[in-house]
Amino acid sequence: MAEQSVLVVEDTDEIRELVTTVLRRAGFDVREASSGAACLEEVRRDAPDLIVLDLGLPDADGTEVCRQIRAETQCYVLMLTARAEEVDLLIGLAVGADGYMAKPFSPRELVARVQAMLRFPRQVQVAQPAAQAAESVRRLAELEVDEESREVRVDGAVVDLTRTEFDLLAALASRPGRVLQRETLLREVWQTDWEGNLRLVEAHMSNLRRKLVAAGLNSPEIRTVRGVGYRLVAA
Ligand code: CA
């Protein structure tokens, strides 16, 4: 299996080198960039599986770089922020990062987070017998969730979702009608209960909903169970 690739975008040399070193040691194929422009150039040349993106870059706002990445690829984005308080602000802005870490962070925690995020594509690469592959498609009214190709279709048309949005929908679709707690989704989709940050679930869920509605999905719909979580029900 090919090594999974990570692009580390950070202008402070010591931090970039530290992150690069620990990720290489963990077995990732790591590339580096020290500006927003260099990041986008790398992404266009050969999109990585995951980008560790510093919020404070010399030439560009990290949130704008993140939006640009989102517009061009499906890769995971783990954003580094200078202060913990910035995380809530960024989630509110819906810049679309899949995870956040505030500086100073422990290198071991960063590696664990990257490994957790990349676990899903790793599973997809496992060859499945044909019979099992066929069962990987869930159909619920107008919605199809294909776990093998990681595609979502509404009335047969593919909906462009980020990996995190797909993972959220797949979690809901695997248990239609049942309420999934936000804590459960945080654990299943982000593979951790880091920071207990439930607003991240809410932000990605609202993006997912918006995209499904824009794609013309009437049924099933994602319903909010106030103060608890979400469920997928046929309208
Ligand atoms: Ca910086």
Side-chain angles (χ1 to χ4, degrees):
M1 188 174 71
E3 283 180 329
Q4 288 179 302
S5 57
V6 179
L7 176 63
V8 178
V9 188
E10 163 70 80
D11 59 308
T12 306
D13 294 346
E14 305 86 79
I15 299 178
R16 192 183 61 252
E17 282 160 20
L18 171 70
V19 172
T20 298
T21 303
V22 294
L23 288 174
R24 277 202 183 124
R25 217 174 274 156
F28 294 103
D29 170 18
V30 186
R31 284 180 284 153
E32 302 174 46
S34 53
S35 69
C39 166
L40 292 173
E41 202 173 295
E42 279 293 316
V43 166
R44 283 164 195 154
R45 195 173 61 78
D46 181 15
D49 295 306
L50 184 145
I51 300 176
V52 177
L53 177 66
D54 181 35
L55 176 66
L57 293 168
D59 62 330
D61 182 344
T63 62
E64 266 319 302
V65 177
C66 186
R67 287 206 176 94
Q68 197 65 42
I69 291 167
R70 273 283 163 265
E72 299 185 18
T73 87
Q74 296 289 306
C75 67
Y76 284 114
V77 178
L78 175 59
M79 192 166 266
L80 302 179
T81 71
R83 294 190 313 278
E85 304 83 73
E86 283 173 341
V87 173
D88 269 355
L89 191 69
L90 291 169
I91 290 170
L93 289 173
V95 297
D98 301 288
Y100 297 89
M101 287 192 89
K103 297 175 190 170
F105 51 84
S106 98
R108 209 175 56 177
E109 196 196 334
L110 181 125
V111 169
R113 189 80 68 78
V114 169
Q115 284 169 331
M117 287 172 129
L118 289 175
R119 203 167 296 159
F120 281 103
R122 209 170 278 157
Q123 286 175 343
V124 170
Q125 287 167 9
V126 175
Q128 291 182 346
Q132 274 184 3
E135 283 165 16
S136 76
V137 182
R138 285 178 210 282
R139 286 188 186 81
L140 301 156
E142 303 156 14
L143 183 71
E144 268 180 16
V145 180
D146 186 336
E147 302 235 12
E148 208 204 0
S149 66
R150 295 181 62 84
E151 260 180 16
V152 166
R153 294 179 285 270
V154 171
D155 280 335
V158 174
V159 186
D160 188 24
L161 299 180
T162 68
R163 290 181 175 186
T164 294
E165 289 158 4
F166 177 88
D167 293 340
L168 278 174
L169 184 58
L172 288 171
S174 69
R175 282 148 290 185
R178 278 190 38 198
V179 178
L180 293 196
Q181 295 189 332
R182 287 170 303 176
E183 290 83 352
T184 306
L185 290 166
L186 198 58
R187 233 178 1 255
E188 289 189 8
V189 173
W190 282 266
Q191 306 278 312
T192 173
D193 47 5
W194 64 278
E195 293 163 25
N197 211 329
L198 300 172
R199 287 189 59 205
L200 194 57
V201 180
E202 290 163 16
H204 284 274
M205 194 65 85
S206 100
N207 290 341
L208 169 62
R209 251 196 199 124
R210 190 167 33 76
K211 286 186 185 179
L212 291 175
V213 168
L217 182 68
N218 296 306
S219 175
E221 63 180 24
I222 299 171
R223 296 220 180 121
T224 305
V225 181
R226 205 168 287 279
V228 182
Y230 303 89
R231 63 195 190 114
L232 192 63
V233 285

Short mmCIF file of all heavy atoms in Angstrom, two decimals, residues 7 26 28 39 44 56 61 82 84 93 104 106 116 126 129 134 144 153 158 212 222 233:
data_model
loop_
_atom_site.label_atom_id
_atom_site.label_comp_id
_atom_site.label_asym_id
_atom_site.label_seq_id
_atom_site.Cartn_x
_atom_site.Cartn_y
_atom_site.Cartn_z
N LEU A 7 0.69 17.20 3.71
CA LEU A 7 1.36 18.46 3.39
C LEU A 7 1.32 19.32 4.65
O LEU A 7 0.25 19.57 5.20
CB LEU A 7 0.63 19.15 2.23
CG LEU A 7 1.13 20.53 1.82
CD1 LEU A 7 2.56 20.47 1.31
CD2 LEU A 7 0.21 21.12 0.73
N ALA A 26 6.23 8.60 11.82
CA ALA A 26 5.01 7.77 11.92
C ALA A 26 4.69 7.07 10.60
O ALA A 26 3.70 6.36 10.49
CB ALA A 26 3.84 8.62 12.37
N PHE A 28 4.39 8.59 7.39
CA PHE A 28 3.71 9.34 6.33
C PHE A 28 4.72 9.92 5.34
O PHE A 28 5.87 10.20 5.68
CB PHE A 28 2.88 10.48 6.93
CG PHE A 28 1.74 9.99 7.77
CD1 PHE A 28 1.82 10.02 9.15
CD2 PHE A 28 0.60 9.48 7.17
CE1 PHE A 28 0.77 9.55 9.93
CE2 PHE A 28 -0.45 9.00 7.94
CZ PHE A 28 -0.37 9.03 9.33
N CYS A 39 1.36 26.39 -0.67
CA CYS A 39 0.42 25.32 -0.32
C CYS A 39 -0.49 25.00 -1.50
O CYS A 39 -0.63 23.85 -1.91
CB CYS A 39 -0.41 25.74 0.90
SG CYS A 39 -1.87 24.73 1.21
N ARG A 44 -2.35 21.73 -6.11
CA ARG A 44 -2.72 21.62 -7.54
C ARG A 44 -1.81 20.64 -8.27
O ARG A 44 -2.23 19.96 -9.19
CB ARG A 44 -2.66 22.99 -8.21
CG ARG A 44 -3.88 23.81 -7.84
CD ARG A 44 -3.74 25.27 -8.14
NE ARG A 44 -4.79 26.01 -7.45
CZ ARG A 44 -4.70 27.28 -7.09
NH1 ARG A 44 -3.60 27.97 -7.35
NH2 ARG A 44 -5.68 27.86 -6.45
N GLY A 56 -2.01 31.23 10.79
CA GLY A 56 -1.29 32.48 10.58
C GLY A 56 -0.16 32.33 9.58
O GLY A 56 0.95 31.97 9.94
N ASP A 61 -4.54 34.58 4.66
CA ASP A 61 -5.30 34.16 5.82
C ASP A 61 -5.55 32.65 5.68
O ASP A 61 -6.03 32.19 4.64
CB ASP A 61 -6.62 34.94 5.80
CG ASP A 61 -7.49 34.61 7.00
OD1 ASP A 61 -7.24 33.59 7.66
OD2 ASP A 61 -8.44 35.38 7.26
N ALA A 82 -3.18 29.62 16.83
CA ALA A 82 -2.25 30.13 17.84
C ALA A 82 -2.86 30.07 19.23
O ALA A 82 -2.16 29.93 20.22
CB ALA A 82 -1.85 31.56 17.51
N ALA A 84 -6.36 28.67 21.74
CA ALA A 84 -7.52 27.79 21.85
C ALA A 84 -8.82 28.54 21.53
O ALA A 84 -9.73 27.99 20.92
CB ALA A 84 -7.59 27.18 23.24
N LEU A 93 -17.19 30.32 11.68
CA LEU A 93 -17.01 30.85 10.33
C LEU A 93 -17.21 29.77 9.26
O LEU A 93 -17.24 30.07 8.08
CB LEU A 93 -15.61 31.44 10.16
CG LEU A 93 -15.33 32.74 10.89
CD1 LEU A 93 -13.86 33.10 10.77
CD2 LEU A 93 -16.20 33.86 10.33
N PRO A 104 0.30 25.66 22.16
CA PRO A 104 1.22 24.57 21.82
C PRO A 104 0.50 23.23 21.89
O PRO A 104 -0.36 23.02 22.73
CB PRO A 104 2.25 24.67 22.96
CG PRO A 104 1.48 25.23 24.12
CD PRO A 104 0.43 26.12 23.54
N SER A 106 0.91 18.79 21.63
CA SER A 106 1.92 17.75 21.79
C SER A 106 2.08 17.03 20.45
O SER A 106 1.09 16.71 19.79
CB SER A 106 1.52 16.78 22.91
OG SER A 106 0.93 15.63 22.37
N ALA A 116 -5.90 9.14 13.01
CA ALA A 116 -7.34 8.90 13.15
C ALA A 116 -8.10 9.40 11.93
O ALA A 116 -8.99 8.73 11.41
CB ALA A 116 -7.87 9.59 14.41
N VAL A 126 -8.92 -1.58 1.26
CA VAL A 126 -8.97 -3.03 1.47
C VAL A 126 -9.91 -3.64 0.44
O VAL A 126 -11.05 -3.23 0.30
CB VAL A 126 -9.47 -3.35 2.90
CG1 VAL A 126 -9.64 -4.84 3.09
CG2 VAL A 126 -8.52 -2.78 3.93
N PRO A 129 -14.71 -8.78 -1.30
CA PRO A 129 -15.37 -9.68 -2.24
C PRO A 129 -16.57 -8.96 -2.85
O PRO A 129 -17.16 -8.09 -2.21
CB PRO A 129 -15.84 -10.84 -1.35
CG PRO A 129 -15.06 -10.73 -0.09
CD PRO A 129 -14.68 -9.28 0.06
N ALA A 134 -21.31 -5.08 -2.92
CA ALA A 134 -22.67 -4.70 -3.29
C ALA A 134 -23.44 -4.23 -2.07
O ALA A 134 -24.23 -3.31 -2.13
CB ALA A 134 -23.37 -5.89 -3.94
N GLU A 144 -28.66 7.52 -1.77
CA GLU A 144 -27.79 6.35 -1.82
C GLU A 144 -26.46 6.71 -1.20
O GLU A 144 -25.85 7.72 -1.57
CB GLU A 144 -27.52 5.94 -3.28
CG GLU A 144 -28.49 4.93 -3.82
CD GLU A 144 -28.14 4.58 -5.26
OE1 GLU A 144 -27.01 4.88 -5.70
OE2 GLU A 144 -29.01 4.03 -5.93
N ARG A 153 -25.38 9.75 -3.54
CA ARG A 153 -26.19 10.12 -4.69
C ARG A 153 -27.62 10.46 -4.26
O ARG A 153 -28.19 9.81 -3.40
CB ARG A 153 -26.20 8.97 -5.71
CG ARG A 153 -24.82 8.70 -6.32
CD ARG A 153 -24.83 7.55 -7.31
NE ARG A 153 -24.89 6.27 -6.63
CZ ARG A 153 -23.82 5.56 -6.24
NH1 ARG A 153 -22.59 6.01 -6.47
NH2 ARG A 153 -23.98 4.41 -5.62
N VAL A 158 -24.54 12.37 -8.23
CA VAL A 158 -23.54 12.42 -7.16
C VAL A 158 -23.53 13.81 -6.49
O VAL A 158 -23.58 14.83 -7.15
CB VAL A 158 -22.13 12.11 -7.72
CG1 VAL A 158 -21.06 12.30 -6.65
CG2 VAL A 158 -22.10 10.67 -8.25
N LEU A 212 -27.23 18.67 0.82
CA LEU A 212 -28.23 17.66 0.45
C LEU A 212 -29.52 18.34 -0.03
O LEU A 212 -30.13 17.90 -1.01
CB LEU A 212 -28.53 16.74 1.64
CG LEU A 212 -27.39 15.80 2.05
CD1 LEU A 212 -27.76 15.03 3.31
CD2 LEU A 212 -27.03 14.83 0.92
N ILE A 222 -32.34 14.88 7.55
CA ILE A 222 -31.61 14.83 8.81
C ILE A 222 -32.37 15.71 9.81
O ILE A 222 -32.51 16.91 9.59
CB ILE A 222 -30.17 15.37 8.64
CG1 ILE A 222 -29.40 14.50 7.64
CG2 ILE A 222 -29.45 15.39 10.00
CD1 ILE A 222 -28.05 15.09 7.23
N VAL A 233 -34.41 10.38 8.93
CA VAL A 233 -35.74 9.78 8.82
C VAL A 233 -36.38 10.08 7.48
O VAL A 233 -36.17 11.13 6.89
CB VAL A 233 -36.70 10.30 9.94
CG1 VAL A 233 -36.38 9.69 11.27
CG2 VAL A 233 -36.67 11.81 10.02
#
